[in-house]
Amino acid sequence: MAAEFLSSVGTSYQVDRILSEAVNEIVLLSPSMKLHESILLRLQQADQRNVRITLLYGRERNQTRGQKWYRDLKNLRILYHDKLNACVYRNEKELILTSMGLSDLGSGIFSDMGVLIARLRDRKAFDDGIYEQEVLIESAEEVFAGKNYVRIEEKTHPEELIRDMPFLTYFGIEDRTLVNGKVKAPSGKFYTPEMELYHDGTIKYQGFKKTRQRHGEWIFYTYEGFVREVVIYENGNYVNKIFCDYENPARAISKYYLLFGIGNSVKKLYDRNISELYFDSLVEDFTGSDRTKLFYHIERFIGKRAIFEQPVTFQDMVDQLYRAMYE
């Protein structure tokens, strides 16, 4: 079953459950910022669990006027986007697209409908939903940020960023030396590195800018660490997008992208610096003796068992993963 239809009662119940079960993050998109008291209670509980909360609202910007409930939430970020006209609620595992606004959840006054999308059942739809949310969030105006909600780009200097950015060889960068905050490519041109992380340190996306505009391949990752898609830009203009469909054996994923996902998973699971990780790197140099945790993480994401047979290098891991998926 790819998606589940929800009635008004079902929508209220499932949103309440999504908020209650959130472990890492909650994202709420609604044109109206007015909250039903049951939703406010769930957000307060999530904040106490240190769940990262993003609330994006639309229509009138001054909807926060006179509201005080959000000021004590340490892990909350509120943004405004004048083009927002959809209601979407999600945690790290499930997403609901509905006609029911935040103020109507739990009220039972109106007849609304919705659709529940689970990451495990329909990964592409779930990831597409996250991508569209991130596009809106990236261009939205920040209205409020709790004291624990520090954005990565605000606390990361270019020197720290380029030191930690992995897979530079793939981008043609051989020297991490910065000149005025930029790295020099073999062509002689200079590019500004950019990388953002999820709150647990997993890479969210990475790429380079040319004259302050996205240029070349930008790698976007899922929360689990795997490459979701690669978007190609030319001087800030969108050129093409490569979506990584892990469930379609007819569309093989590049071994480079599989390596990036494995490496990012290492960063997620072991909190290791992966800036020097590449195909010829030894697995145990990054995982120690506990490689099983990495194997299980990948096998669970792919949906296959017993993929790996004592790989020594990450090239071995990529080859074995590729065979399990496509041969």
Side-chain angles (χ1 to χ4, degrees), residues 62-123:
N62 62 0
Q63 291 187 55
T64 56
R65 185 177 301 170
Q67 298 196 48
K68 300 180 180 180
W69 61 266
Y70 60 86
R71 297 178 183 176
D72 295 328
L73 299 188
K74 302 183 295 295
N75 301 287
L76 171 68
R77 185 185 182 200
I78 300 177
L79 305 107
Y80 167 74
H81 198 298
D82 61 347
K83 303 299 183 184
L84 178 64
N85 194 40
C87 297
V88 184
Y89 314 116
R90 76 167 179 88
N91 61 16
E92 62 277 358
K93 294 182 179 180
E94 295 174 297
L95 176 153
I96 292 176
L97 175 63
T98 178
S99 59
M100 185 176 288
L102 286 171
S103 60
D104 302 323
L105 288 165
S107 66
I109 298 176
F110 300 103
S111 296
D112 290 279
M113 292 173 280
V115 176
L116 172 67
I117 300 173
R119 177 181 58 81
L120 290 178
R121 294 199 299 262
D122 194 339
R123 184 176 296 146

Side-chain angles (χ1 to χ4, degrees), residues 182-308:
K182 299 179 180 180
V183 291
K184 186 177 182 179
S187 63
K189 296 181 179 179
F190 288 88
Y191 297 91
T192 304
E194 187 165 311
M195 181 172 68
E196 185 171 339
L197 311 179
Y198 289 102
H199 75 282
D200 67 346
T202 309
I203 301 173
K204 188 175 184 179
Y205 64 76
Q206 66 179 119
F208 291 87
K209 286 186 175 180
K210 177 183 176 183
T211 61
R212 298 184 180 181
Q213 295 180 319
R214 290 182 175 182
H215 188 78
E217 292 188 25
W218 279 62
I219 315 296
F220 292 84
Y221 298 87
T222 66
Y223 181 76
E224 290 80 5
F226 299 89
V227 176
R228 182 182 71 218
E229 61 191 10
V230 179
V231 182
I232 303 171
Y233 297 91
E234 180 70 32
N235 295 320
N237 297 313
Y238 169 86
V239 176
N240 194 15
K241 179 168 68 173
I242 303 169
F243 179 78
C244 294
D245 188 349
Y246 295 86
E247 299 176 351
N248 185 357
R251 298 184 62 183
I253 298 171
S254 165
K255 288 188 176 182
Y256 284 101
Y257 303 155
L258 294 179
L259 173 71
F260 299 167
I262 293 173
N264 202 18
S265 296
V266 169
K267 184 175 179 63
K268 181 182 187 70
L269 298 174
Y270 302 92
D271 192 25
R272 295 292 301 271
N273 185 313
I274 60 169
S275 60
E276 301 300 328
L277 187 153
Y278 214 59
F279 285 107
D280 57 353
S281 301
L282 299 178
V283 176
E284 287 196 357
D285 285 350
F286 292 85
T287 66
S289 59
D290 185 17
R291 300 184 302 172
T292 306
K293 182 166 62 174
L294 177 61
F295 296 167
Y296 176 75
H297 176 75
I298 296 170
E299 290 169 352
R300 183 180 180 185
F301 182 82
I302 300 300
K304 295 180 180 291
R305 294 185 177 182
I307 292 176
F308 302 106

Side-chain angles (χ1 to χ4, degrees), residues 6-15 100 106 108 110 112:
L6 302 175
S7 63
S8 293
V9 174
T11 299
S12 294
Y13 168 76
Q14 293 292 358
V15 171
M100 185 176 288
F110 300 103
D112 290 279

